Amino acid sequence: MGLGIDIIIFVSAILVGIFIYWRESNGNGAYRFINKMMNSKELQMSADNPKGFVYKQSFIPRLLFVVISLLVIGLILQFLTPIKVFTNFYGLSGLATFATGTIIGTYLANFVIKTTKVVEEKSDSIGDLLGDAVEKGKDLIEDLKPATTEEIEEVKEDIQPEPEPEVEKKSARDRLKDKGLM
């Protein structure tokens, strides 16, 4: 088992993480059920709280959920199938790679979902910004078009500097005399 299988496991885990996060963003029934079973009525989460096992969780609870879930799946694989997860290096390496990929996948899904919401909220202003950019681009193209000879003459007249008034300049000898050096 080499690096190739680790890459396949890692990419698969990212996809699993994205799927888990997406499913929990649409509904948190399992989290709400466990919350209802474990907590008293006063401590239970409110009905409008969207938090799940990985959705809207900080890093540590998300990491704990992923690792504990993978350990349970690893134990099931270890004892019920011929796949030995915990008895060799490759199994542990695959488990660690899968956990890392799943965490990265959840954060990647979080980024995509937040970006989609921002784009949906700002879609009208993005259209306005795009229209302004098009108008500015048209003005820029007009500025870059070759000018006619009349326009060139007008620009030359505007650019010609006014002559500076000449100030009487003293010679070097007079300046030295003024300083008392001569």
Side-chain angles (χ1 to χ4, degrees):
M1 189 154 117
L3 185 63
I5 194 73
D6 277 341
I7 292 172
I8 292 169
I9 290 171
F10 186 71
V11 171
S12 301
I14 289 175
L15 294 174
V16 167
I18 290 171
F19 177 74
I20 290 170
Y21 194 88
W22 175 73
R23 285 296 303 145
E24 279 204 347
S25 70
N26 291 332
N28 60 350
Y31 188 79
R32 190 173 300 283
F33 175 74
I34 290 177
N35 182 279
K36 192 175 280 191
M37 296 297 289
M38 301 301 266
N39 294 321
S40 65
K41 190 73 170 170
E42 297 84 29
L43 297 176
Q44 289 176 8
M45 61 192 290
S46 63
D48 61 342
N49 190 348
K51 187 183 281 190
F53 292 109
V54 293
Y55 184 70
K56 301 250 184 198
Q57 285 285 2
S58 60
F59 177 72
I60 299 296
R62 191 179 293 198
L63 177 69
L64 286 173
F65 171 73
V66 168
V67 170
I68 290 171
S69 298
L70 289 177
L71 287 175
V72 168
I73 292 169
L75 284 172
I76 292 170
L77 289 174
Q78 179 81 22
F79 293 113
L80 298 180
T81 67
I83 300 171
K84 302 300 176 198
V85 176
F86 299 111
T87 57
N88 60 18
F89 170 75
Y90 298 120
L92 291 175
S93 173
L95 188 72
T97 302
F98 200 85
T100 304
T102 304
I103 293 293
I104 291 172
T106 60
Y107 280 101
L108 185 65
N110 181 24
F111 172 74
V112 170
I113 288 174
K114 281 186 179 181
T115 304
T116 305
K117 287 179 183 175
V118 168
V119 167
E120 287 174 358
E121 290 172 1
K122 304 281 184 177
S123 63
D124 295 334
S125 62
I126 289 173
D128 295 339
L129 289 173
L130 187 61
D132 293 343
V134 168
E135 291 300 320
K136 288 179 183 177
K138 287 179 182 176
D139 294 342
L140 179 63
I141 290 172
E142 289 294 323
D143 291 344
L144 293 177
K145 284 184 180 177
T148 63
T149 54
E150 296 168 358
E151 292 174 342
I152 292 174
E153 292 301 323
E154 289 176 13
V155 170
K156 281 184 180 178
E157 290 172 4
D158 292 341
I159 292 177
Q160 301 228 344
E162 296 178 14
E164 295 180 21
E166 290 192 28
V167 179
E168 281 188 38
K169 294 185 178 181
K170 293 184 178 182
S171 67
R173 176 173 287 227
D174 291 337
R175 288 193 308 258
L176 287 174
K177 282 183 182 177
D178 289 345
K179 291 183 181 178
L181 298 173
M182 218 169 124

PDB file of all heavy atoms in Angstrom, residues 171-182:
ATOM      1  N   SER A 171      25.574  86.823 -10.940  1.00  0.00           N
ATOM      2  CA  SER A 171      26.715  86.033 -11.379  1.00  0.00           C
ATOM      3  C   SER A 171      27.371  85.402 -10.169  1.00  0.00           C
ATOM      4  O   SER A 171      27.099  85.760  -9.023  1.00  0.00           O
ATOM      5  CB  SER A 171      27.718  86.908 -12.136  1.00  0.00           C
ATOM      6  OG  SER A 171      28.306  87.847 -11.235  1.00  0.00           O
ATOM      7  N   ALA A 172      28.251  84.454 -10.437  1.00  0.00           N
ATOM      8  CA  ALA A 172      28.941  83.764  -9.351  1.00  0.00           C
ATOM      9  C   ALA A 172      29.782  84.740  -8.541  1.00  0.00           C
ATOM     10  O   ALA A 172      29.863  84.643  -7.316  1.00  0.00           O
ATOM     11  CB  ALA A 172      29.804  82.652  -9.917  1.00  0.00           C
ATOM     12  N   ARG A 173      30.392  85.710  -9.225  1.00  0.00           N
ATOM     13  CA  ARG A 173      31.231  86.699  -8.534  1.00  0.00           C
ATOM     14  C   ARG A 173      30.401  87.518  -7.576  1.00  0.00           C
ATOM     15  O   ARG A 173      30.801  87.742  -6.428  1.00  0.00           O
ATOM     16  CB  ARG A 173      31.899  87.591  -9.582  1.00  0.00           C
ATOM     17  CG  ARG A 173      32.709  88.720  -9.003  1.00  0.00           C
ATOM     18  CD  ARG A 173      33.419  89.379 -10.098  1.00  0.00           C
ATOM     19  NE  ARG A 173      34.482  88.460 -10.483  1.00  0.00           N
ATOM     20  CZ  ARG A 173      35.743  88.803 -10.685  1.00  0.00           C
ATOM     21  NH1 ARG A 173      36.074  90.053 -10.608  1.00  0.00           N
ATOM     22  NH2 ARG A 173      36.644  87.937 -10.980  1.00  0.00           N
ATOM     23  N   ASP A 174      29.199  87.949  -8.019  1.00  0.00           N
ATOM     24  CA  ASP A 174      28.340  88.753  -7.150  1.00  0.00           C
ATOM     25  C   ASP A 174      27.847  87.950  -5.940  1.00  0.00           C
ATOM     26  O   ASP A 174      27.753  88.475  -4.833  1.00  0.00           O
ATOM     27  CB  ASP A 174      27.148  89.283  -7.935  1.00  0.00           C
ATOM     28  CG  ASP A 174      27.548  90.331  -8.984  1.00  0.00           C
ATOM     29  OD1 ASP A 174      28.615  90.948  -8.807  1.00  0.00           O
ATOM     30  OD2 ASP A 174      26.774  90.497  -9.956  1.00  0.00           O
ATOM     31  N   ARG A 175      27.549  86.682  -6.164  1.00  0.00           N
ATOM     32  CA  ARG A 175      27.096  85.844  -5.038  1.00  0.00           C
ATOM     33  C   ARG A 175      28.218  85.668  -4.023  1.00  0.00           C
ATOM     34  O   ARG A 175      27.975  85.651  -2.815  1.00  0.00           O
ATOM     35  CB  ARG A 175      26.613  84.486  -5.559  1.00  0.00           C
ATOM     36  CG  ARG A 175      25.280  84.572  -6.292  1.00  0.00           C
ATOM     37  CD  ARG A 175      24.653  83.220  -6.529  1.00  0.00           C
ATOM     38  NE  ARG A 175      25.544  82.265  -7.153  1.00  0.00           N
ATOM     39  CZ  ARG A 175      25.543  81.913  -8.431  1.00  0.00           C
ATOM     40  NH1 ARG A 175      24.655  82.460  -9.241  1.00  0.00           N
ATOM     41  NH2 ARG A 175      26.388  81.033  -8.908  1.00  0.00           N
ATOM     42  N   LEU A 176      29.451  85.475  -4.461  1.00  0.00           N
ATOM     43  CA  LEU A 176      30.587  85.347  -3.536  1.00  0.00           C
ATOM     44  C   LEU A 176      30.811  86.643  -2.789  1.00  0.00           C
ATOM     45  O   LEU A 176      31.152  86.638  -1.597  1.00  0.00           O
ATOM     46  CB  LEU A 176      31.842  84.917  -4.290  1.00  0.00           C
ATOM     47  CG  LEU A 176      31.852  83.451  -4.763  1.00  0.00           C
ATOM     48  CD1 LEU A 176      33.086  83.221  -5.625  1.00  0.00           C
ATOM     49  CD2 LEU A 176      31.844  82.503  -3.592  1.00  0.00           C
ATOM     50  N   LYS A 177      30.646  87.776  -3.442  1.00  0.00           N
ATOM     51  CA  LYS A 177      30.798  89.070  -2.777  1.00  0.00           C
ATOM     52  C   LYS A 177      29.746  89.231  -1.701  1.00  0.00           C
ATOM     53  O   LYS A 177      30.034  89.753  -0.628  1.00  0.00           O
ATOM     54  CB  LYS A 177      30.686  90.206  -3.791  1.00  0.00           C
ATOM     55  CG  LYS A 177      31.924  90.409  -4.612  1.00  0.00           C
ATOM     56  CD  LYS A 177      31.732  91.594  -5.533  1.00  0.00           C
ATOM     57  CE  LYS A 177      32.938  91.793  -6.413  1.00  0.00           C
ATOM     58  NZ  LYS A 177      32.762  92.889  -7.368  1.00  0.00           N
ATOM     59  N   ASP A 178      28.504  88.791  -2.018  1.00  0.00           N
ATOM     60  CA  ASP A 178      27.431  88.906  -1.024  1.00  0.00           C
ATOM     61  C   ASP A 178      27.729  88.087   0.219  1.00  0.00           C
ATOM     62  O   ASP A 178      27.346  88.471   1.324  1.00  0.00           O
ATOM     63  CB  ASP A 178      26.100  88.440  -1.636  1.00  0.00           C
ATOM     64  CG  ASP A 178      25.568  89.418  -2.683  1.00  0.00           C
ATOM     65  OD1 ASP A 178      26.065  90.562  -2.710  1.00  0.00           O
ATOM     66  OD2 ASP A 178      24.667  89.017  -3.434  1.00  0.00           O
ATOM     67  N   LYS A 179      28.399  86.961   0.050  1.00  0.00           N
ATOM     68  CA  LYS A 179      28.731  86.103   1.189  1.00  0.00           C
ATOM     69  C   LYS A 179      29.978  86.582   1.908  1.00  0.00           C
ATOM     70  O   LYS A 179      30.291  86.068   2.972  1.00  0.00           O
ATOM     71  CB  LYS A 179      28.948  84.661   0.713  1.00  0.00           C
ATOM     72  CG  LYS A 179      27.670  84.008   0.257  1.00  0.00           C
ATOM     73  CD  LYS A 179      27.930  82.570  -0.135  1.00  0.00           C
ATOM     74  CE  LYS A 179      26.676  81.904  -0.611  1.00  0.00           C
ATOM     75  NZ  LYS A 179      26.921  80.524  -1.031  1.00  0.00           N
ATOM     76  N   GLY A 180      30.661  87.526   1.340  1.00  0.00           N
ATOM     77  CA  GLY A 180      31.869  88.067   1.985  1.00  0.00           C
ATOM     78  C   GLY A 180      33.079  87.230   1.756  1.00  0.00           C
ATOM     79  O   GLY A 180      34.047  87.292   2.514  1.00  0.00           O
ATOM     80  N   LEU A 181      33.056  86.409   0.747  1.00  0.00           N
ATOM     81  CA  LEU A 181      34.192  85.549   0.470  1.00  0.00           C
ATOM     82  C   LEU A 181      35.143  86.175  -0.551  1.00  0.00           C
ATOM     83  O   LEU A 181      36.205  85.633  -0.828  1.00  0.00           O
ATOM     84  CB  LEU A 181      33.727  84.177  -0.039  1.00  0.00           C
ATOM     85  CG  LEU A 181      32.875  83.388   0.949  1.00  0.00           C
ATOM     86  CD1 LEU A 181      32.321  82.116   0.274  1.00  0.00           C
ATOM     87  CD2 LEU A 181      33.687  83.008   2.169  1.00  0.00           C
ATOM     88  N   MET A 182      34.794  87.314  -1.082  1.00  0.00           N
ATOM     89  CA  MET A 182      35.658  87.947  -2.072  1.00  0.00           C
ATOM     90  C   MET A 182      35.794  89.405  -1.868  1.00  0.00           C
ATOM     91  O   MET A 182      35.010  90.125  -1.410  1.00  0.00           O
ATOM     92  CB  MET A 182      35.078  87.692  -3.459  1.00  0.00           C
ATOM     93  CG  MET A 182      36.140  87.453  -4.460  1.00  0.00           C
ATOM     94  SD  MET A 182      35.376  86.846  -5.935  1.00  0.00           S
ATOM     95  CE  MET A 182      35.991  88.048  -7.029  1.00  0.00           C
TER      96      MET A 182
END
